[in-house]
Amino acid sequence: QLRGNIALLQMPNSQKEPAMQVVEHLRNKARKQQDQVLAQLASRMASKVTLSTGADVFAEIKADIEASIAKLQEEQAADATQTAYCDKELKETREKVAAKEARIQKHNTKIDKRTSNSKKAKEEVAVLQKELATMIKEKNEADNLRQKEKADYEFNTAEVGQSLTEIKFALKVLRDFYDNYAKQHQGFSSSDGIADGLIAMLEVTESDFSKNLYEMKAVEEAAVSQYTAYVKDYEAAKVIKEQGIKYKTREYTTDDKLA
């Protein structure tokens, strides 16, 4: 410190006073701007002025300032390089995040689509199941009706057939009787009186029963034909409904697993 003070005393006033003014100016600037770098520069300049041996102190200060500037430029260059690196890394990170978000959005879209498809398929399965249940119920009713119709037909045709057989037998007996009677009694004719009316009545009854029997057979054949066609259509529709339920169930099951 003593040596520095002696050196300072040896400096010409023409150099010492301006140099200290510059130092003081820099210190004031550093305090006002709260600039640590500028404060350190002012401190080094003060040391230069204090330790100067009489040489051109401003040359030394200039060299020190240039060195500080060079150091600052190096630091700024390094900062710029670091900033560029950080910007590059940040850009790449943002791109990766954006790509991941896009993949997530795409995946979410697929999930939403599968969920929607699953819901729709389940609704379609419910409709198909309801329709199939209705078809089966109607088929059972048709089966029961067909069995009843067949049983009624068989009973009625048996009854009518039996009656028709008896009527035909009665007509044969009457005709044979009156033919034989006419042969045995000259001048008698079955077309006269009660005999003719009785035979005619039985013939009308025979015709009515034959007509009824024919109509019952026609109705039964039509019912059988209609029922056969219905069963054929039912079996085809049943297969379609069951396959639809099968595939739609598989569809929503797969969507639920992948969603």
Side-chain angles (χ1 to χ4, degrees), residues 41-56:
L41 178 61
S43 178
R44 288 197 301 271
M45 287 174 63
S47 298
K48 291 285 185 183
V49 173
T50 302
L51 299 175
S52 176
T53 58
D56 187 357

Side-chain angles (χ1 to χ4, degrees), residues 11-242:
M11 288 179 61
N13 290 332
S14 61
Q15 293 184 17
K16 181 178 68 174
E17 291 180 1
M20 290 306 296
Q21 290 176 0
V22 170
V23 170
E24 190 62 29
H25 178 72
L26 288 177
R27 282 175 175 169
N28 291 334
K29 282 286 186 181
R31 281 194 296 270
K32 289 180 179 179
Q33 298 179 6
Q34 296 183 347
D35 190 333
Q36 293 294 328
V37 175
L38 194 59
Q40 291 175 3
L41 178 61
S43 178
R44 288 197 301 271
M45 287 174 63
S47 298
K48 291 285 185 183
V49 173
T50 302
L51 299 175
S52 176
T53 58
D56 187 357
V57 68
F58 284 104
E60 294 179 5
I61 292 173
K62 180 181 178 182
D64 196 26
I65 291 175
E66 289 177 348
S68 297
I69 292 172
K71 183 179 179 181
L72 287 173
Q73 288 176 340
E74 290 177 359
E75 290 176 352
Q76 288 177 351
D79 289 342
T81 301
Q82 181 65 24
T83 300
Y85 173 78
C86 291
D87 290 343
K88 180 182 176 183
E89 289 294 315
L90 181 60
K91 180 181 178 182
E92 291 177 353
T93 300
R94 286 175 176 172
E95 289 175 352
K96 289 178 181 178
V97 170
K100 289 182 179 179
E101 289 178 346
R103 287 196 297 270
I104 292 173
Q105 181 62 38
K106 185 177 180 181
H107 182 64
N108 288 338
T109 301
K110 288 182 178 179
I111 291 176
D112 292 341
K113 184 177 180 180
R114 290 187 182 279
T115 301
S116 177
N117 290 343
S118 174
K119 181 181 179 181
K120 181 180 178 181
K122 289 175 181 177
E123 291 173 351
E124 291 174 346
V125 167
V127 171
L128 289 171
Q129 288 174 334
K130 184 178 181 180
E131 293 175 347
L132 181 59
T134 300
M135 286 175 54
I136 293 173
K137 180 182 178 182
E138 292 175 348
K139 174 63 166 53
N140 290 334
E141 292 174 351
D143 290 343
N144 293 333
L145 178 61
R146 176 84 284 272
Q147 290 175 4
K148 184 179 182 302
E149 289 175 344
K150 184 173 183 296
D152 290 343
Y153 166 75
E154 292 175 348
F155 175 81
N156 292 332
T157 54
E159 289 289 316
V160 173
Q162 179 65 28
S163 298
L164 186 59
T165 300
E166 293 173 353
I167 291 171
K168 287 181 177 181
F169 179 76
L171 280 171
K172 183 178 182 305
V173 170
L174 284 175
R175 288 189 183 112
D176 290 345
F177 172 77
Y178 284 115
D179 285 345
N180 291 330
Y181 189 83
K183 290 177 182 179
Q184 296 174 3
H185 297 80
Q186 189 176 1
F188 175 81
S189 175
S190 62
S191 61
D192 297 333
I194 297 175
D196 183 58
L198 184 59
I199 291 174
M201 183 185 66
L202 288 174
E203 287 176 342
V204 171
T205 303
E206 178 190 23
S207 176
D208 290 341
F209 272 71
S210 296
K211 181 181 178 181
N212 289 339
L213 188 61
Y214 173 80
E215 290 176 349
M216 283 190 290
K217 287 182 179 179
V219 171
E220 174 64 10
E221 289 174 357
V224 170
S225 177
Q226 183 179 3
Y227 174 77
T228 301
Y230 165 75
V231 170
K232 184 177 179 181
D233 292 341
Y234 164 80
E235 294 295 341
K238 183 172 179 286
V239 170
I240 293 174
K241 299 290 185 187
E242 289 174 340

